Amino acid sequence: MAHAAPSAGGVSRPTTRPAVTRGRTPDIFDARTHRIARVAVPVLLGLVYGYWAAANNRSGGPITGWNVLFGFVTALVFAVALFALLTVAPRLRREVHALAWTAFVGCAFGFLYSQSGASILRSVGMSLAIAAVTFVVLFYRFYTREDAAGHRVR
């Protein structure tokens, strides 16, 4: 067998893997897909939330027209609030950013929990507990990934 002799500077092999770059991960979808997802995700999550709220509200009873209307109105309110939060929150400072998400998650959970027939005191207590955990997690996330002005650190 014939092998090529190594060069004087050592063995040089062509790299088969691209260089690892630090920073953002590559986008695998184009800009059009991101524009569609920016609207589709809040709408789909709103529909799931509305269905869940309507199911909790009827407590396993029959599906009525008012129950369906309740589910769609709940879905609409949730989707609009989520879309507004996704639009406004990234422009906020990290503390306010975490508080905005905390208020949204706490209210959303509290509303769902109240539809299950629990007392208002228990609903408020549970939603405050969920909101507190959400604030701690999101504040840590934003504190470690953003500067004081709310700009992402790369």
Side-chain angles (χ1 to χ4, degrees), residues 19-112:
V20 176
T21 58
R22 301 284 181 207
R24 297 189 69 181
T25 57
D27 285 334
I28 57 173
F29 298 114
D30 62 351
R32 179 178 170 265
T33 306
H34 284 282
R35 279 193 309 272
I36 292 170
R38 190 166 177 80
V39 174
V41 169
V43 168
L44 291 176
L45 288 177
L47 288 173
V48 169
Y49 186 84
Y51 173 75
W52 195 348
N56 284 353
N57 186 286
R58 74 173 190 266
S59 300
I63 298 173
T64 63
W66 291 113
N67 187 253
V68 171
L69 179 66
F70 174 77
F72 278 116
V73 169
T74 303
L76 178 68
V77 170
F78 182 88
V80 168
L82 181 58
F83 184 75
L85 184 63
L86 288 173
T87 303
V88 173
R91 299 181 189 135
L92 301 173
R93 290 181 25 165
R94 60 185 174 205
E95 297 86 4
V96 183
H97 192 176
L99 277 175
W101 276 105
T102 298
F104 178 76
V105 169
C107 290
F109 179 82
F111 181 73
L112 278 181

